Structures are given as structure tokens and as C-alpha cells.
Amino acid sequence: MQKPAEFSVQAAAGERPTVVLSGDWTANNLGDAPVGLAEAVKARGDIAADIRKVRRLDTAGAYALVRALGHDYDLKSVLARPESERLLELVGHAVHVEPMKIQPPRGFHELTLRIGKGVMNIGYEWVDTLAFLGHLLVVVVRTLGFLFTNPKRVRWAAIFSLAERAGLDAIPIVAVTSFFIGAVVGLLGANMLRQFGAEVFAVELIGIAVLREFNIIITAVLLAGRSASSFAAELGSMKMNQEIDAMQVMGVDPFEALVLPRFLALLLTIPLLTFVATLAGLFGGLVVVWSVLSLGPTFFLQRIVDNVGAVHFWVGMSKAPVMAMVIAGIGCRQGLEVGGDVESLGRRVTAAVVHAIFAIIMIDAAFALMFMKLNV
């Protein structure tokens, strides 16, 4: 049976007053005893201590006694059993230890530490990315099997809903942006080529630039800022609310329920958005050529068909599936890496957009080198 922590002050005539502790001086039984003990010691000044009647003593009780007696009190003069005496010495030594001040690294040392941490973080990110891709590949292969064995297992409703929200709803912004990009390319081309009397070749410049590069680049960058951030925020908020953990406890694979529908939704919609961007960009160039160079739509379209051709169009469209996989993969991966705080969510959403745009530029450069080597 536990007893509350108690103390009493015994003072004989002509002798040093002694505070006698009894009961259980443990964390669960201290109560207000440490406060009263400190007031009693402070009121009488020089006082002795006797804890031999204490039944149980832990670090909390020892710290209460050390704090009440004062840091300059000699704990060796406390009357105690051997085990209690050792505990008092341990706690008293810990109280008197001065905290070690560690000077933060500066100058070249700080630079080397930041570089080392950056290299290690790149390694960790690479390993996590490979694990994410491996898990996603397994889910894709398993879903392909469901198409033939159990088509109802595929989450068609989630795929088409995400395709509408992440892809089709982006048609207006993609079309408007591509229109102005095509117009700017046409205006710059007309002004530059006019110096050489070759302004008619602005049509070929617009066609090649829009069909080959700007259609997919503008579409991918807009989806990186629109869909990748959305995917990261949605999955990150679910991770913060432990909804993903609950899905795993219920036996539902988050990759199959959350990642794959977003992956397939962008894979289905980005070719359509690229085609819309192509039409809008060509239309913007047509408007500029018609208004600045007085070249009609029939002339514009005929030169596009004769001198540009469909090869450049298919070159641009061939990049669309790769861009879709990269955008969806980066957005979902960053969302699944969110921790339990809002700061982590904001950091991961920002990283999703930045990484996606960086990957888009790098992939487009790789495609350009590949097609140049293939002479396409």
C-alpha cells in the first residue's frame, strides 16, 4: 500500500533542527510535499535532513529534496540508507552539471556540412524514388491483370473523376496560355525575319515551335503547377489525418486506391491537352501572321501542311505520356512523404512543383538530343 510523502521538523533545545521525511517520495505520491519542504527549509535556514524512514524514493523525490535543501547543501550529511544515499549523490551530481555549450559550425566547416547533408539527401531521395517506382510498377501490372480477370476491381469512377478534375478542367488555361505563346512566337519571328525579307518563313517557325516543343512544354508546366501540387496536397492531408494508415490497417493498398487512379488520369488526359495546346498555339500564330504580315488562314495552313508536316506533331505528342507519368509520380510521391505537421505539407507541395518542372525541362532536353541523333 502506498503512502503519501510526508515530512516533519524536529527541533530540540540547543540543537540543529532536523527535517524528517517519511512515506513514499515517488513521482505519484509527492503531492504538495516538495513545496512545503522547501518553505520549511527556507524558514529555518541551517537544517539537517533524515530520510531513513522513507519507504520508497525515486529520482523525482530525490530531486525534490535536493531542490528544497539548496544546491550548496552537502548531501553527504543527509542521514539515509546506502541505496538512498547513492540516488541522492546521482541526482545531486546531475543537478550541478553545467550544460555543455556546442558552438555552431561556421565558415568552411558549415559549408562542408551543408554539402554533405545535401549529398546524403540526394541519395536518400534516389532510394525512396526507386522504391516508389517499384511499388507503382507492381500495382500497374496487378491492375492490368484485373482488366482481364476482374474489371470491376479497377477504380473506374476515381480515374474518370480525377481525369475531369485534373485534366479536362485545365483546358481553358492551357488553351489561353498556348494561344499567347503562339502569338508571341509569331510576332518575334515576323519582326526578326523581316530584316532579311523572309517574313513568310514565320509560318514555319510557328509551326515547328508549337508542334514540336511549346505545346507539350506549356501543357506539362501548367499541369505541374496545377495537378502535381494538387496531388501532393491531397495525399499529404490524408497522411496528416492518418487516413492512409487507416487504409493500410483495413487491407487497402494506398498505391492502388490513391496513386494509380491519379497516374492513369493524367496519362489519359495529357495527350488531349497537348492537342488542344497545339491548336491554340497555331491559332495564336495564325492571328499574328494574318494581322501583321497580311497572310491569310488558307496560306498559313497550306504552308504548315507542305513545309512542316505531321512529323513534328508526332514528335511533340510522343513526349506526352512520359510527362504525364513524371508529373503524377512526383506529385503522389511527395504527398506520401508528408509528415505530421503543416510545415512538412507546405514543403512537400513546393517540392512537388519544383521537382516536376525541373524533370520536365530535363526530359525535354533528353528528347531533343535523342531526336537529333535519330535525325527526326
Side-chain angles (χ1 to χ4, degrees):
M1 183 177 179
Q2 297 182 357
K3 293 185 178 180
E6 298 177 347
F7 71 93
S8 60
V9 179
Q10 299 178 0
E15 294 183 1
R16 183 184 182 187
T18 303
V19 57
V20 180
L21 278 62
S22 61
D24 296 329
W25 282 70
T26 59
N28 295 330
N29 300 290
L30 286 178
D32 298 333
V35 178
L37 178 62
E39 294 177 353
V41 172
K42 183 178 180 180
R44 288 168 175 79
D46 186 19
I47 193 171
D50 184 357
I51 64 172
R52 290 175 294 182
K53 295 183 179 180
V54 174
R55 297 173 66 244
R56 297 177 183 175
L57 181 68
D58 62 2
T59 54
Y63 177 71
L65 178 60
V66 172
R67 187 176 180 182
L69 295 177
H71 296 305
D72 56 347
Y73 191 88
D74 187 7
L75 296 177
K76 295 182 179 179
S77 61
V78 177
L79 299 177
R81 298 191 299 270
E83 62 273 15
S84 300
E85 185 177 352
R86 288 193 298 270
L87 181 59
L88 283 177
E89 291 178 357
L90 177 64
V91 173
H93 177 72
V95 169
H96 288 84
V97 170
E98 292 292 336
M100 183 181 298
K101 296 182 179 179
I102 301 177
Q103 294 294 335
R106 296 179 179 178
F108 183 73
H109 186 199
E110 181 184 8
L111 177 63
T112 57
L113 288 178
R114 294 181 64 179
I115 294 175
K117 290 179 180 180
V119 173
M120 293 299 296
N121 290 333
I122 292 175
Y124 293 144
E125 288 287 334
W126 178 250
V127 173
D128 293 341
T129 301
L130 292 179
F132 178 87
L133 291 177
H135 196 165
L136 181 60
L137 182 61
V138 171
V139 173
V140 169
V141 173
R142 189 168 57 198
T143 303
L144 290 176
F146 291 152
L147 290 176
F148 299 100
T149 59
N150 187 13
K152 295 182 179 180
R153 179 74 180 270
V154 183
R155 301 174 184 272
W156 298 109
I159 293 174
F160 289 114
S161 175
L162 288 167
E164 179 183 3
R165 180 162 54 86
L168 299 182
D169 289 347
I171 288 179
I173 184 64
V174 169
V176 172
T177 306
S178 299
F179 173 84
F180 284 108
I181 291 294
V184 169
V185 172
L187 186 61
L188 291 177
N191 290 332
M192 292 290 294
L193 295 174
R194 184 178 292 166
Q195 303 175 11
F196 309 99
E199 58 265 24
V200 69
F201 290 104
V203 177
E204 284 79 359
L205 176 62
I206 295 169
I208 295 175
V210 172
L211 292 174
R212 194 180 184 99
E213 293 293 336
F214 286 117
N215 56 356
I216 183 61
I217 290 295
I218 295 302
T219 302
V221 169
L222 289 176
L223 287 182
R226 189 177 184 277
S227 299
S229 60
S230 175
F231 292 168
E234 290 170 358
L235 298 184
S237 61
M238 295 180 68
K239 188 75 177 296
M240 290 176 57
N241 295 331
Q242 299 182 346
E243 296 178 30
I244 295 180
D245 297 334
M247 293 175 62
Q248 292 176 335
V249 171
M250 296 169 61
V252 179
D253 188 357
F255 275 75
E256 181 179 341
L258 301 176
V259 177
L260 186 61
R262 289 166 170 80
F263 186 82
L264 295 178
L266 279 191
L267 198 62
L268 291 174
T269 56
I270 198 170
L272 174 61
L273 291 173
T274 305
F275 182 72
V276 171
T278 302
L279 296 180
L282 291 177
F283 183 67
L286 186 152
V287 171
V288 170
V289 170
W290 193 4
S291 60
V292 175
L293 303 179
S294 300
L295 301 177
T298 303
F299 180 83
F300 181 91
L301 296 176
Q302 189 62 44
R303 289 190 68 90
I304 290 290
V305 173
D306 295 340
N307 299 333
V308 178
V311 175
H312 297 291
F313 171 74
W314 292 115
V315 167
M317 292 295 293
S318 65
K319 305 174 187 178
V322 179
M323 299 296 187
M325 291 186 288
V326 169
I327 294 170
I330 291 177
C332 293
R333 181 187 173 276
Q334 295 296 333
L336 293 176
E337 294 294 328
V338 172
D341 55 343
V342 179
E343 181 183 359
S344 175
L345 177 62
R347 187 169 60 251
R348 289 296 178 177
V349 171
T350 304
V353 178
V354 174
H355 292 180
I357 295 177
F358 176 78
I360 289 167
I361 302 302
M362 293 296 294
I363 291 172
D364 185 71
F367 269 109
L369 292 175
M370 182 184 69
F371 288 129
M372 183 179 65
K373 292 294 183 181
L374 295 176
N375 197 21
V376 177

